[in-house]
Structures are given as C-alpha cells and as structure tokens.
Amino acid sequence: MNDQIAIPCVVMRGGTSRGPFFLARDLPADAGSRDAVLLSVMGGGHDLGIDGIGGGNAVINKVAIVGPASVPGADVDYLFAQVRVREGIVDTSPNCGNMLAAVGPFAIEVGLVSATADRTHVRIHNVNTGKLIDATIATPGGRVTYDGEARIDGVPGTAAPIELSFPDAAGARTGRLLPTGRAVDRINGIDVTCLDAAMPVMLVRAADLGCSGREAPSDFADSGFRARLEDLRIEAGRRMGFPNPADMVIPKPVLIAPAGGATLNVRYFMPHDCHSALAVTGAVAIATACVTSGTIAAEMVGPLAPPVPITLAHPSGQLVVRLEPGPVARVLRTARRIFEGHVFARRSQVPHYSVLAA
C-alpha cells in the first residue's frame, strides 16, 4: 500500500484515437471528483502529460467511461471525456466517434454485453449527447477478435472491422441541424456553416483563410492563423448557443476544399491543433453538410442525396461516410485492446476519492 489510488483501467485504441477505458463504477459519481481523478491519471498541468498516461496530442488525451445503460433500448452508457492536459481541463461536451469504436469490444469483454456468434450488435447510449449509436463487432465463436483484414487510414496494419451506425445524428448538442437557423453565417467577413450532426462544427472554405486544404497538420503552427481561426470558432459557438465556447472544445473548426479523387479535402481541428486524421463524429457532420442545401460544403460538391458515399480526404488518407435514408450515417472503424491493469491517481490530488466498489 502507498499514498496512491489504484484504479482498474484498460487502454484501448479506438479508430485513430487512444486512451484509458474505465468502468463507471470505478470512478467517483461526482463530476468534480471524477475530473480530478482523470487529470491526475492523465498528467494534467503539463504539455506532454509527463506525470500521467496522457500525451502531447489531443488524440491520445481521451477517456471513455462505460457502464450499464441508463435509458431504454440501449445496452451500455458511454461518457467521453477530452482531457486538455496543458490547461488542466476535462471537457465532456462532445462525443468521440473514434473512441466509440472500442466501446463495444470493451463492454463485451467486461461482461456488460453478452457476445453472440459471428457478430455482436451493441447499442451505445452516448451520455454526452443523449444519442444512440449502433456498433457491430466481430465475435466469432462468441469472443471478441481484434485481428482481421479491415484497414483504416491513420492506423498501421489491418484489424477486425467495426461498423458504427449513427441514426438521426442531427442536433447532437444543440437540438438543431443548423443551430443558427441559417446554412451560411458571415463572421469577421468570412462565410461559415455552423452545423450540428454527431458533432457541432464550423465549416470554412480553406481558401478564405489563405489555405489549400491539403496542408500537413504541422503547417498550421502560425500564431496569427490560429488566433484568427479561434476568433471565428468562438463567435460561431456563441451563435450556436454555447455560452462559453472558449472554455469548450466545441464547435470544432473544419477547413474544406475541393478534392480530386474524394468528395472534399478536410482539415479538422480539435479545436486548436489539426487532427492527424479525422474525427468520426466530425466526418458525420461534414458528410451531412454535403447533402444539406445551402451550406458551403453542399455548394462546393454540388447536388448529392442519400444513399451516397462521402469520401473525405484528410492528412493520413481518406475516411468514407455512407449516408443512407433515415437518415443514417455508417462508418467503418477498427479497435485494439492494448493494456489491462491499474492506473494510479495521486491521493493528494483527489483527497475525497470514493466509489461504491472501493
């Protein structure tokens, strides 16, 4: 025994993200105490999360908290937390579709869901947005498998396929597909589309900010560009109904541009650093914008209507969103279980830590 708190934890890759997965029963129910635990284990207060298991990039500073379903029709609850280690902030305002890919396998392996032969369907209640998402996981012989032939850009090698299906994703946080009531808003002389489908986003033409839409993430280091994009994002967030967007990771800003061999070139920000690939929820929002009349995305790609595949080119390759009538958005992902054990929180940072299982 020592002065640290041992908490059961599984580290998993979900899509192009990675982070610890916790059972809800192993973390405090109180949001303040829970967030203190997450900051302690992830290494809050340092750019690299050096005193925890976080890292220097937003895609590996993510946390999934999974428990029994709290709403009818769902199999499990999933609360996503984006930990901003540099600022010491835990933001539970958005969903994360990449981490979502690992929720089904995790839920099966911890016994929250019983596997069926060949494939298991898991209906996930995303606590952040209140939306239900369907995941289909490969379970040959009634067991989760991670090896397979599916390939997603941004992750080396191949793995077993996981299909995510987002029915009726519109209004995930705001209750409206177009939260401002307009397909185009003009902010600081720039046309933007504010749209909420799985993820609230602010779309802007890359050319309007002097970009090509084909840049590498490292090309966006200029402080002047970042400040300009953040000013647009904060004002877009206010117009979408978020009272303090500067303290939130939503809406996510997205640069879009015409593409050869894809529907669009996109550069997705989280919200300050450019994603090395593309968020699944962000991809659903961008794809939805492509078929929503009047948006800058729809004007760029021309007339499209479900059923249709939307191919989004990002810094690591491409991501395809299949839009179907309903509306339903389907995305192929993969996942992998990486580590299982205990992670330690400093008791001095969470003096009131208490859970029923403790």
Side-chain angles (χ1 to χ4, degrees):
M1 298 294 292
N2 55 40
D3 59 354
Q4 298 199 96
I5 304 164
I7 306 169
C9 170
V10 175
V11 174
M12 299 190 74
R13 175 185 62 79
T16 55
S17 295
R18 189 188 74 221
F21 279 63
F22 297 98
L23 283 169
R25 70 188 185 207
D26 293 326
L27 293 176
D30 171 71
S33 298
R34 178 202 67 208
D35 291 353
V37 169
L38 298 184
L39 287 170
S40 182
V41 302
M42 297 297 283
H46 188 278
D47 285 2
L48 300 179
I50 197 69
D51 197 40
I53 60 173
N57 191 288
V59 299
I60 54 174
N61 286 322
K62 301 187 174 189
V63 176
I65 302 169
V66 183
S70 62
V71 299
D75 296 310
V76 295
D77 276 1
Y78 155 56
L79 177 69
F80 168 69
Q82 179 71 63
V83 181
R84 295 162 61 182
V85 291
R86 181 185 306 137
E87 301 93 342
I89 294 173
V90 177
D91 192 344
T92 57
S93 57
N95 183 10
C96 175
N98 275 303
M99 290 287 278
L100 177 69
V103 171
F106 175 81
I108 295 168
E109 294 197 298
V110 297
L112 289 172
V113 176
S114 297
T116 56
D118 298 327
R119 297 195 303 172
T120 299
H121 301 282
V122 181
R123 174 155 277 198
I124 300 163
H125 168 230
N126 176 236
V127 179
N128 309 73
T129 63
K131 293 290 187 176
L132 298 176
I133 303 101
D134 294 309
T136 303
I137 296 98
T139 52
R143 299 182 65 180
V144 174
T145 183
Y146 294 101
D147 283 339
E149 300 304 315
R151 184 185 300 276
I152 61 172
D153 289 338
V155 177
T158 63
I162 296 171
E163 183 186 76
L164 298 178
S165 176
F166 296 79
D168 190 24
R173 285 291 303 183
T174 66
R176 303 177 68 186
L177 177 64
L178 298 172
T180 70
R182 295 174 294 276
V184 176
D185 285 85
R186 194 159 182 84
I187 302 175
N188 299 342
I190 301 292
D191 287 341
V192 305
T193 288
C194 299
L195 185 138
D196 180 8
M199 176 70 71
V201 297
M202 178 200 71
L203 306 183
V204 58
R205 299 181 192 94
D208 288 348
L209 293 180
C211 301
S212 68
R214 297 184 297 275
E215 288 86 356
S218 59
D219 292 337
F220 296 107
D222 179 71
S223 59
F225 168 82
R226 286 173 173 254
R228 189 180 184 195
L229 188 65
E230 180 68 355
D231 285 345
L232 288 173
R233 186 187 79 85
I234 290 173
E235 179 57 27
R238 292 193 184 111
R239 296 189 188 189
M240 295 172 80
F242 302 121
N244 298 299
D247 297 328
M248 306 172 73
V249 297
I250 56 175
K252 300 292 180 68
V254 186
L255 306 187
I256 63 171
T263 309
L264 283 175
N265 276 315
V266 302
R267 293 299 182 265
Y268 181 89
F269 291 76
M270 307 175 288
H272 308 118
D273 297 323
C274 181
H275 202 303
S276 60
L278 179 58
V280 169
T281 46
V284 171
I286 300 164
T288 302
C290 289
V291 298
T292 302
S293 178
T295 69
I296 62 173
E299 291 175 351
M300 191 172 288
V301 302
L304 292 174
V308 63
I310 304 293
T311 302
L312 303 173
H314 56 72
S316 296
Q318 296 184 345
L319 191 156
V320 178
V321 180
R322 301 186 183 281
L323 295 180
E324 300 176 1
V328 176
R330 303 186 189 279
V331 182
L332 176 68
R333 296 282 87 184
T334 65
R336 190 168 84 88
R337 192 179 182 95
I338 296 172
F339 170 84
E340 177 182 2
H342 289 79
V343 67
F344 292 89
R346 289 177 177 269
R347 191 173 295 278
S348 60
Q349 294 175 335
V350 284
H352 303 297
Y353 176 85
S354 177
V355 294
L356 292 177

